[in-house]
Amino acid sequence: MTKQAVSTLSILLVFLFHCITTLAQSAAAPVLPANAPAQPANPPAQPANPPAQPAIPPVQSAKAPAPPALVPVQKGPTDVTKILEKAHGYSVFVRLLKSTGVAKQLYRQLNSSNNGFTIFAPIDSGFSNLKPGTINSLTDLQMTQLIQFHILNTVVALSNFQTLSNPVPTEAGDVSAGAFPLNITTARNQVNISTGLVNTTLGGTVYSDDQLVIYHVSKVLLPLDIFNPKPKPKKAAAEAPTPTASKPKTTKEDAPVSPSGAITTVDEAAAVSLSMHGMLESIGVVVVAFFVMK
């Protein structure tokens, strides 16, 4: 063979080899649909990270009610109503102190004697928590007793409540019959008050001096004798007396009249005696007349 023929054969073999290689690669590659959508050049961007959740604030514990503000000691005459007005929050109790006249009594005794008092002053919310009509349904006497039930006729410091004997007497009245029982007990630094209908604790000191101390209470102290009185014992029905025979009474019309005009009474025995005496006199007169005629 000539060099030209060898060269042409070599070129032909290389071309065939290239064709076979291309066909083999095409058979191995996956067949794509004719109208397959073009793949996006770049994958979509990932969404931004969501904002961090705000930290949950810690749960705040319920705050204990703030102690009442201590009213400074008054200069001049001691006036309970002015003290409570300065303390704020006792407007209903102040109004009842004035309307019942208890405020004037306290003012007179505090400023003209050495008498001392302890007052449990209910805040306005204590009155608003009562059933509607509770206060307005009271008589004037009951209203006065209700206010006096909040007053002790002595000065009791916080450290001395444990020395009291129950029931504690109040200005409302005697406790011997159980009409106005006020029981006071202490547990550590807490002073508990019970009336039989209401249980509460002292909330703090509003005012304090040598003659007067006022404590804050959150409830109205309701005494048993006013809001839950005991039924009065029924008296046993009196037995009907056994009827007895009685002599007829002489009336004014039947009674003989004396010469002076006074009414006299004559009993039956005297009447019989007088009748017999008259009959004997008549018989004697007849006998005498009989002998004279002879």
Side-chain angles (χ1 to χ4, degrees):
M1 295 179 62
T2 62
K3 292 182 179 181
Q4 185 177 1
V6 173
S7 177
T8 302
L9 181 58
S10 297
I11 293 172
L12 182 59
L13 290 174
V14 171
F15 175 77
L16 290 174
F17 179 78
H18 177 73
C19 290
I20 292 171
T21 303
T22 301
L23 290 174
Q25 291 177 352
S26 298
V31 179
L32 295 177
N35 296 325
Q39 295 294 327
N42 296 320
Q46 294 295 327
N49 293 331
Q53 295 294 328
I56 299 176
V59 177
Q60 298 291 333
S61 58
K63 294 183 179 180
L70 185 63
V71 177
V73 176
Q74 286 189 320
K75 296 180 180 180
T78 304
D79 191 329
V80 173
T81 58
K82 289 184 178 179
I83 293 173
L84 292 173
E85 287 170 351
K86 289 182 179 179
H88 302 292
Y90 304 91
S91 59
V92 179
F93 189 58
V94 169
R95 176 170 56 82
L96 295 177
L97 281 168
K98 293 179 178 179
S99 64
T100 57
V102 175
K104 290 183 178 180
Q105 296 174 3
L106 290 172
Y107 183 87
R108 182 171 59 253
Q109 295 188 49
L110 286 170
N111 296 288
S112 62
S113 70
N114 294 325
N115 293 345
F117 297 95
T118 298
I119 300 177
F120 304 115
I123 56 176
D124 291 338
S125 61
F127 286 95
S128 62
N129 289 334
L130 296 175
K131 293 181 180 180
T134 298
I135 300 300
N136 294 333
S137 64
L138 301 180
T139 64
D140 292 342
L141 175 60
Q142 290 174 332
M143 190 82 73
T144 301
Q145 291 174 329
L146 173 64
I147 299 305
Q148 291 174 332
F149 191 59
H150 292 73
I151 304 173
L152 308 183
N153 192 10
T154 184
V155 176
V156 184
L158 279 173
S159 58
N160 293 336
F161 276 106
Q162 60 186 358
T163 64
L164 298 179
S165 298
N166 291 316
V168 179
T170 68
E171 289 290 287
D174 188 11
V175 297
S176 59
F180 295 94
L182 186 69
N183 295 293
I184 299 178
T185 57
T186 59
R188 296 184 179 179
N189 296 328
Q190 181 172 296
V191 179
N192 304 311
I193 303 177
S194 175
T195 72
L197 294 175
V198 174
N199 297 316
T200 188
T201 59
L202 292 189
T205 306
V206 179
Y207 181 85
S208 179
D209 63 20
D210 295 338
Q211 269 190 292
L212 175 67
V213 59
I214 303 176
Y215 294 108
H216 160 106
V217 291
S218 60
K219 296 181 180 180
V220 181
L221 306 180
L222 303 179
L224 282 170
D225 192 56
I226 296 177
F227 296 95
N228 189 22
K230 294 181 179 179
K232 296 181 180 180
K234 296 181 180 180
K235 295 182 179 180
E239 296 181 0
T242 304
T244 57
S246 60
K247 297 179 181 179
K249 295 182 180 179
T250 304
T251 62
K252 291 183 178 180
E253 291 78 4
D254 299 332
V257 181
S258 65
S260 62
I263 299 176
T264 59
T265 58
V266 181
D267 58 13
E268 290 181 314
V272 172
S273 177
L274 288 174
S275 299
M276 293 297 294
H277 181 69
M279 291 176 64
L280 291 175
E281 287 182 347
S282 300
I283 294 172
V285 171
V286 172
V287 171
V288 172
F290 177 77
F291 286 105
V292 171
M293 289 179 66
K294 283 186 175 184

